[in-house]
Amino acid sequence: MPAARKDSLTEALAAHDPLAYKALYEESPSIYFVIDAESTVLAINRIGAAQLGYAVEELEGRSILSITHPEDRDRLRQQIRDCGAESCTLSFQEFRKLRKEGGVLWVREVARSVQGSDDRTVVLVVCEDITAKKQAEQRLRESEERYRRLIETSLEGVWLLDADNKTTFVNAEMARMLGYSVEDMMGASLFDFMNEHERAIARRNVERRKHGIKEVHDFKFRRKDGAEIWTMVSANPIFDPDGQFAGSLGMVRDITFRKQVEKELARRAAELEKSNERLKELDRLKSSFVDTISHELRTPLTSIKGYAEFLEDNIGGPLTLQQRQFVEEILDGSSQLERLVDDLLDFAKLESGTFTLRPARSDLRDRVREILKVLKPQADENGIQLEATLPDEPLVLQMDAGRIGQVLLNLVGNAIKFTRPGGRITVTATAVADAVRVEVHDTGVGIPPEHLPHLFKRFYQVDTSSTRESSGTGLGLAISKALVEAHGGQMGVESTPGKGSTFWFTLPVSAGSEA
Ligand code: ADP
C-alpha cells in the first residue's frame, strides 16, 4: 500500500466518527465490527450479528475473541495487536467464528486501524462469510482423498507421465508389478523400464499419443530384477488447456499368466494339428489299403465262384450228392465273401471321397418291389411274412437306383436277419412334403436304446447273442446312411427291444427329380 494513499485514507476516516459508518454498513451482507485495542466490540452491523445468530446488543461490549474459535483466538489477538500498533495495517486472514446456536462460520477478515475523533485507535474488521467455499474445499479434499485411495488400492497399475515421459505418479500396484518402490519410480523415464526393442515401440506410441490417439495394446516391460512381464496397457494422452501435449496416463494390467497360457495353448494346438495330420494320413493309407486288398481279393474270388458254378452245372462231369453239397458250401461262402468285399470297397470309396452317384429318373416303388422279390425266398425260408405298402401314384425321383436298391437290400436284409420265424416285415413308401419317406418295419428282436446313437457308425454291431449268431461286417448301415445322405436325404431308426424296429430314410423330391 503506497504511503501517500495510506495517509490520505487514514486522514479521511479520522475526520469522521467511525461509529457513524455503522448505518452505512447495516444492510451489507458482510459482518462489520468496530473494536477497540482490547478486542471489545464497539459496534457490529445488524445483518452481521444475525449471521452469527446474535442480536446487536448481545455482542456490543463483548470481546470479539469470545465469538472466535478457541484455536484461532491467539492469531486474531495478534492481528488486532498488530493492527493497533501500526496504524492502518491491512490483512486478509481466515478465522472461524462461533455461532450462538453452535456451529462454525468461516470468515475472511480485513482489519484496519483508524484514529477515532477522540484520538482513540479503533480497529475496523470486515468479515466475509466463506463457509460455503470452505465446505466445498472440504468436499473436494474428501473426494480427492477417495480417488487417491481408489487409485492406490486399484488392482490395475496407474502410471502418469509428463510431456518428457518422466514419471509424475505411479500407484502401489504399478510399482509392485515392476518390482520397484513408488519412490524409486518417481521422476524416472518410461523408457527405463523396458528393453531396447520395446523402447522403439514405446517411442512410436508416444508420438501417436501426441496426435491424440488413445490405444490399448499388449506391451512387454522389464522388471527391476531383469525379468520381462507382459502387460495390457490402456494409454491416454493428456493435453493442457492450450491443447499442448502434457503427458500420458497409462492403466496397466499384468497379463503375463494369460500370455503363458496362450503360448501353451498355441503349442498344444500345433501339436494337435500335427497329430491330426498324422491321423488323416493314416486314414488315407488305411482306405487305400482296404481298396487294394478288396481288389486283390475279388479276382481269386471270381474264379473260385466261377469254377464252383461250373462244377454245380456238371460241366466238369456229374457230381455225387456229397460233392454237390460241398460245392453249395463253396458257393455260399464265396457269395458271403463277395458281399464283404463289395462292402469294403464301397466303404473305402466313401471314406476317400472318390465315390460318385449316377442319378437318373426312377420310380422308387419299382426299387422296393425289386428288392422284395429278391429277398422273398429268404423271408419264406425263415417263416417271415414280407410285404410292401406302396401308393398308387408313381414316386419318381432323381436317384442312383442301384445305390438306393443297395440301401433297401441292407435294411430289409437286416430285418430278416433280426426277425424270428412267424414275424412280419413291412416296407412302406409315402410322399411327405418335399420328400419321400421309406420305412422298413419289423417285428424282430429290437435294439436296446443305448445302442441307437452308435448304430450307423462303421463296424458297429449290437453285442447281443442274436447279433453274434448272424453274419455281417457292421458296415451295412454306415454305408446305407452315407448313400442316403449323398442323395440329400436322412436316415434314422426307432426301436423297442423285444417288439421290433423301424429303420427309415427320406429322399428329397428336389428340383432335379423333375428334370
Ligand atoms: P451288419 O452287417 O452287422 O448287419 P449293419 O451296419 O447293417 O451291419 O448293422 C449293424 C448292427 O445293427 C447289426 O449288427 C445289428 O446289431 C443292428 N441291427 C441292424 N438292423 C437291425 C434290425 N432290423 N433289428 C435289430 N438289430 C438290427
Side-chain angles (χ1 to χ4, degrees):
M1 182 75 53
R5 183 166 150 64
K6 191 173 170 188
D7 287 344
S8 64
L9 189 60
T10 312
E11 276 163 26
L13 286 168
H16 299 88
D17 176 0
L19 293 181
Y21 292 109
K22 185 182 167 191
L24 194 66
Y25 302 146
E26 204 56 71
E27 297 308 320
S28 165
S30 300
I31 311 170
Y32 288 85
F33 289 102
V34 180
I35 57 173
D36 64 14
E38 277 72 48
S39 315
T40 308
V41 177
L42 302 177
I44 181 165
N45 60 335
R46 190 180 48 78
I47 288 187
Q51 280 188 48
L52 292 163
Y54 291 96
V56 170
E57 303 72 45
E58 289 179 283
L59 291 177
E60 283 178 350
R62 186 171 165 173
S63 167
I64 194 173
L65 295 172
S66 69
I67 55 160
T68 301
H69 194 283
E71 287 173 15
D72 294 349
R73 278 177 199 161
D74 283 348
R75 212 154 42 87
L76 181 61
R77 197 179 285 123
Q78 188 60 43
Q79 193 193 26
I80 295 167
R81 202 174 297 141
D82 292 348
C83 219
E86 197 191 318
S87 109
C88 237
T89 300
L90 183 70
S91 66
F92 288 90
Q93 284 201 42
E94 290 178 356
F95 292 105
R96 282 164 288 180
K97 295 290 176 225
L98 302 172
R99 296 167 57 86
K100 184 179 176 186
E101 62 269 29
V104 159
L105 194 75
W106 271 98
V107 296
R108 188 160 172 266
E109 284 192 6
V110 183
R112 186 189 291 271
S113 73
V114 286
Q115 209 73 34
S117 53
D118 55 356
D119 267 1
R120 252 192 330 149
T121 301
V122 293
V123 180
L124 179 61
V125 182
V126 185
C127 302
E128 182 199 349
D129 180 357
I130 55 163
T131 311
K133 189 183 123 211
K134 280 283 172 189
Q135 281 168 348
E137 277 176 10
Q138 176 68 16
R139 277 200 297 275
L140 193 68
R141 262 200 306 279
E142 282 169 6
S143 127
E144 272 176 0
E145 175 62 15
R146 262 202 307 277
Y147 278 118
R148 199 187 59 76
R149 244 180 289 145
L150 203 71
I151 288 174
E152 271 313 319
T153 54
S154 165
L155 292 178
E156 283 206 349
V158 180
W159 196 342
L160 208 57
L161 300 166
D162 65 12
D164 298 323
N165 301 303
K166 297 270 184 297
T167 305
T168 54
F169 174 85
V170 274
N171 69 347
E173 173 59 16
M174 189 65 247
R176 187 204 61 75
M177 231 184 268
L178 295 178
Y180 290 91
S181 70
V182 170
E183 294 69 37
D184 280 348
M185 286 187 71
M186 293 302 272
S189 164
L190 165 72
F191 306 116
D192 292 347
F193 303 95
M194 57 191 72
N195 288 329
E196 204 52 53
H197 176 252
E198 277 68 35
R199 217 164 277 160
I201 299 171
R203 276 190 220 285
R204 280 201 297 276
N205 293 345
V206 170
E207 284 313 309
R208 276 207 293 276
R209 282 202 289 284
K210 286 182 182 169
H211 291 95
I213 297 171
K214 299 174 179 180
E215 282 179 305
V216 178
H217 47 234
D218 292 356
F219 196 81
K220 233 188 308 179
F221 282 109
R222 190 189 56 216
R223 281 171 53 87
K224 191 179 182 183
D225 60 15
E228 286 193 319
I229 58 162
W230 268 107
T231 61
M232 188 170 77
V233 181
S234 157
N236 296 278
I238 302 169
F239 292 98
D240 65 18
D242 303 331
Q244 289 293 313
F245 178 68
S248 314
L249 168 66
M251 308 295 283
V252 185
R253 186 176 296 176
D254 189 345
I255 54 162
T256 309
F257 179 67
R258 195 192 84 191
K259 282 279 176 189
Q260 283 166 348
V261 171
E262 277 173 5
K263 209 168 141 192
E264 181 60 18
L265 276 178
R267 194 183 61 76
R268 290 196 190 171
E271 263 179 16
L272 259 177
E273 180 68 23
K274 235 195 255 167
S275 55
N276 218 356
E277 274 307 312
R278 272 203 300 273
L279 277 177
K280 275 190 200 154
E281 181 55 29
L282 271 176
D283 231 34
R284 276 194 291 272
L285 273 176
K286 186 195 68 190
S287 292
S288 81
F289 173 73
V290 171
D291 197 38
T292 317
I293 289 291
S294 313
H295 275 113
E296 292 304 316
L297 281 173
R298 197 193 274 282
T299 319
L301 194 57
T302 312
S303 48
I304 292 172
K305 215 179 158 198
Y307 284 109
E309 275 165 3
F310 283 166
L311 290 175
E312 194 187 31
D313 293 346
N314 295 324
I315 292 174
L319 301 180
T320 65
L321 197 62
Q322 198 178 30
Q323 282 168 336
R324 185 163 292 279
Q325 272 172 0
F326 289 166
V327 167
E328 271 167 17
E329 287 294 325
I330 294 171
L331 277 171
D332 265 6
S334 44
S335 291
Q336 246 178 46
L337 211 56
E338 204 173 40
R339 273 201 303 279
L340 175 65
V341 169
D342 284 348
D343 272 3
L344 282 173
L345 265 178
D346 279 348
F347 173 70
K349 279 194 204 131
L350 283 165
E351 290 271 296
S352 63
T354 55
F355 176 83
T356 45
L357 286 180
R358 283 185 197 83
R361 272 162 63 84
S362 171
D363 189 344
L364 187 69
R365 296 177 309 167
D366 294 342
R367 300 287 78 70
V368 175
R369 288 184 191 118
E370 232 170 65
I371 298 307
L372 256 55
K373 203 166 153 199
V374 171
L375 291 174
K376 187 87 172 60
Q378 199 183 327
D380 288 346
E381 211 175 289
N382 288 284
I384 297 166
Q385 208 177 318
L386 181 59
E387 58 196 23
T389 311
L390 300 169
D392 294 335
E393 313 75 49
L395 295 171
V396 179
L397 295 173
Q398 184 78 3
M399 62 181 174
D400 186 327
R403 290 306 190 176
I404 294 304
Q406 186 183 341
V407 173
L408 283 165
L409 198 68
N410 174 238
L411 296 186
V412 182
N414 276 349
I416 296 174
K417 264 199 289 185
F418 297 103
T419 301
R420 300 204 174 95
R424 172 198 288 256
I425 297 167
T426 323
V427 183
T428 61
T430 39
V432 288
D434 49 3
V436 172
R437 183 180 169 99
V438 179
E439 290 186 2
V440 178
H441 174 72
D442 67 53
T443 56
V445 296
I447 302 155
E450 65 272 21
H451 292 286
L452 292 178
H454 310 290
L455 221 53
F456 298 96
K457 291 179 185 163
R458 53 203 192 187
F459 301 115
Y460 193 85
Q461 288 179 308
V462 178
D463 190 19
T464 61
S465 54
S466 58
T467 307
R468 272 188 250 111
E469 281 164 16
S470 25
S471 61
T473 55
L475 277 175
L477 287 177
I479 293 171
S480 295
K481 188 162 190 264
L483 287 173
V484 166
E485 283 171 356
H487 279 83
Q490 290 177 320
M491 180 176 261
V493 61
E494 282 123 37
S495 185
T496 310
K499 287 238 159 84
S501 313
T502 301
F503 281 82
W504 58 264
F505 66 90
T506 59
L507 292 173
V509 183
S510 59
S513 66
E514 292 306 316

